[in-house]
Amino acid sequence: MRGFRFSDYKPGDTPQGGFDELLKLFSELLNYTAGDASEALSWLNELDKQYQLTNNDYGIGNFIDDLKERGYLTEDNQSGEIKITAKAEQTIRKSALDEIFGKLKKSGRGNHNSNQSGIGEEKNADRREYNFGDSLDQIDMTASIQNAQINHGIGDFTLTDRDLEVEEKDFKTLTSTVLMIDISHSMILYGEDRITPAKKVAMALAELIKTKYPKDTLDIVVFGNDAWPITVKDLPYLQVGPYHTNTFAGLELATDLLRRRKTHNKQIFMITDGKPTCLKENGKYYKNSMGLDRKVINKTLNMAAQCKRLKIPITTFMIAKDPYLQQFVRQFTEINGGRAFYSSLNGLGEYIFEDYIKNRRKTVK
């Protein structure tokens, strides 16, 4: 007989000190130490002293040896310097993906509209009732028959259009995305670490694209006084600098990168916590951190308009709650025709993932 059997839950002893548990914690610490393995291991030692993470059979020394043997760490024989390997970098990205995408699958953000797709080629997890005009190959017959049995019973089998369950599909569209990350000094001011969540989102998004949408492209641009591209490999080591916020330079570089892409769907995601405060003219920096400088703002808004002409929408994720910044963000968004979210650090990943997946899908009405 098919079915479920329930019994009392009897919790066992939680294993402590194993390699897998310590690896998860070590990967998380690497995000906060900008990829510095020695500093992360030092913090791990302190946490072990305070919370007894290891046991008598497996200590931090054993863990370090295993990290080296399994290819997560390398040690310079002359200087003794310990560095993480490409395998460790990939582990950090996967960990970030599991953390963010796992939350998204459990429960989506409440203030987003549901994704619309339609007749396509790639199945996704969305299910809905049948609507007139849906093609037959979209109907999940197994689920529809089950619905009919539940709704009408099995004695006199009846199948109506209300019982039909449609499996949504996505078009195999290609999307080119540039993720802009603000690395100005304010990203670590006021007792709040904003750069680490931004790095984790970038690593998770890169891993998602690599595994689920391998034909899509992701470029990463960081901007402070200047803007420059970085690779996914650089992300664990990314740190905030003593910089102002040259949003114009970041947008200009992002636009240049997207021009080279041959895809039709292009977009910019910008993570920032402040207003534009800097420009570079004739090799010199023009800076004004005191307020919304007209010269800086106007040039930034002009860049937003240029992106609109190129059909490049910009989604701004503002991770600061200063009311006086909202007016600028609203104006910036209106000129570009993009979107803006005022997100907490905890919800940043889910917002970006939902928006990325939603933008990939072609809406069919």
Side-chain angles (χ1 to χ4, degrees):
M1 180 177 177
R2 297 181 63 187
F4 297 94
R5 179 174 295 176
F6 297 92
S7 61
D8 293 335
Y9 172 65
K10 298 179 181 179
D13 293 331
T14 303
Q16 284 189 324
F19 177 82
D20 292 336
E21 287 91 351
L22 292 175
L23 179 61
K24 290 178 182 177
L25 182 55
F26 178 63
S27 299
E28 183 69 17
L29 291 172
L30 285 170
N31 287 315
Y32 291 92
T33 63
D36 189 324
S38 297
E39 186 179 354
L41 289 171
S42 178
W43 276 106
L44 189 62
N45 266 306
E46 292 300 320
L47 291 172
D48 184 35
K49 292 177 185 177
Q50 186 172 355
Y51 298 103
Q52 291 79 50
L53 302 175
T54 60
N55 52 48
N56 294 333
D57 298 322
Y58 193 86
I60 297 297
N62 300 116
F63 176 63
I64 295 174
D65 291 338
D66 283 347
L67 286 174
K68 295 176 182 177
E69 290 177 7
R70 300 188 189 192
Y72 292 95
L73 289 182
T74 59
E75 184 174 4
D76 190 301
N77 293 329
Q78 295 183 347
S79 64
E81 183 181 5
I82 299 176
K83 294 182 178 180
I84 62 174
T85 63
K87 184 177 182 180
E89 293 166 357
Q90 185 180 24
T91 300
I92 298 172
R93 295 197 301 270
K94 286 184 176 180
S95 176
L97 177 62
D98 291 341
E99 177 185 341
I100 294 172
F101 202 56
K103 291 179 182 177
L104 183 62
K105 288 192 291 185
K106 289 178 182 177
S107 60
R109 307 299 301 182
N111 60 343
H112 278 270
N113 295 326
S114 60
N115 292 327
Q116 295 180 335
S117 49
I119 303 172
E121 302 172 44
E122 290 182 342
K123 292 182 179 180
N124 62 54
D126 293 346
R127 299 298 181 99
R128 60 172 173 81
E129 290 185 2
Y130 173 83
N131 293 323
F132 180 77
D134 289 331
S135 63
L136 294 178
D137 66 337
Q138 286 183 268
I139 299 174
D140 185 336
M141 293 307 301
T142 302
S144 299
I145 292 173
Q146 184 180 14
N147 293 338
Q149 291 174 339
I150 294 172
N151 295 336
H152 311 294
I154 58 176
D156 184 15
F157 179 76
T158 303
L159 180 67
T160 69
D161 58 348
R162 297 293 298 274
D163 305 318
L164 297 178
E165 188 169 310
V166 170
E167 207 172 23
E168 291 279 38
K169 295 182 179 181
D170 294 339
F171 280 88
K172 289 184 178 179
T173 57
L174 300 181
T175 302
S176 293
T177 303
V178 173
L179 179 62
M180 291 173 51
I181 303 176
D182 184 349
I183 57 169
S184 62
H185 189 53
S186 61
M187 291 287 279
I188 55 170
L189 285 179
Y190 316 116
E192 189 172 43
D193 176 12
R194 297 165 176 172
I195 189 63
T196 299
K199 287 195 302 183
K200 290 175 71 173
V201 166
M203 288 188 287
L205 187 59
E207 193 66 17
L208 174 72
I209 291 174
K210 181 180 179 182
T211 55
K212 190 172 182 181
Y213 307 112
K215 293 184 179 180
D216 283 10
T217 64
L218 174 67
D219 292 289
I220 303 169
V221 169
V222 296
F223 61 103
N225 288 352
D226 299 286
W228 60 93
I230 64 171
T231 66
V232 174
K233 184 179 176 63
D234 299 324
L235 280 169
Y237 313 99
L238 185 62
Q239 300 183 62
V240 168
Y243 305 126
H244 290 70
T245 308
N246 192 343
T247 309
F248 173 83
L251 292 171
E252 187 177 42
L253 177 57
T255 303
D256 288 341
L257 290 171
L258 288 174
R259 277 199 186 104
R260 303 171 194 170
R261 299 298 183 185
K262 303 304 180 183
T263 55
H264 292 292
N265 301 320
K266 302 176 182 182
Q267 61 186 351
I268 295 173
F269 288 164
M270 179 168 63
I271 304 174
T272 183
D273 72 336
K275 59 188 179 296
T277 60
C278 178
L279 294 172
K280 191 172 185 179
E281 299 177 319
N282 302 319
K284 296 182 179 180
Y285 295 106
Y286 175 86
K287 305 173 185 177
N288 183 358
S289 301
M290 302 304 295
L292 294 173
D293 185 285
R294 181 180 300 177
K295 182 176 181 178
V296 178
I297 295 301
N298 286 343
K299 196 162 185 179
T300 305
L301 294 177
N302 288 339
M303 195 67 217
Q306 181 177 340
C307 288
K308 182 178 182 179
R309 289 192 294 272
L310 294 171
K311 297 182 180 180
I312 301 175
I314 303 168
T315 303
T316 304
F317 297 91
M318 179 63 69
I319 52 177
K321 299 178 181 179
D322 307 65
Y324 74 95
L325 290 176
Q326 294 185 9
Q327 182 179 357
F328 162 72
V329 174
R330 281 196 296 267
Q331 187 179 8
F332 179 89
T333 303
E334 183 179 353
I335 289 175
N336 174 256
R339 291 168 301 278
F341 297 96
Y342 299 91
S343 170
S344 67
L345 292 173
N346 292 331
L348 180 63
E350 293 97 300
Y351 275 115
I352 290 183
F353 270 50
E354 271 202 352
D355 214 56
Y356 173 76
I357 294 172
K358 179 179 179 180
N359 291 349
R360 283 194 89 257
R361 297 180 180 174
K362 182 177 180 180
T363 301
V364 178
K365 297 183 179 179

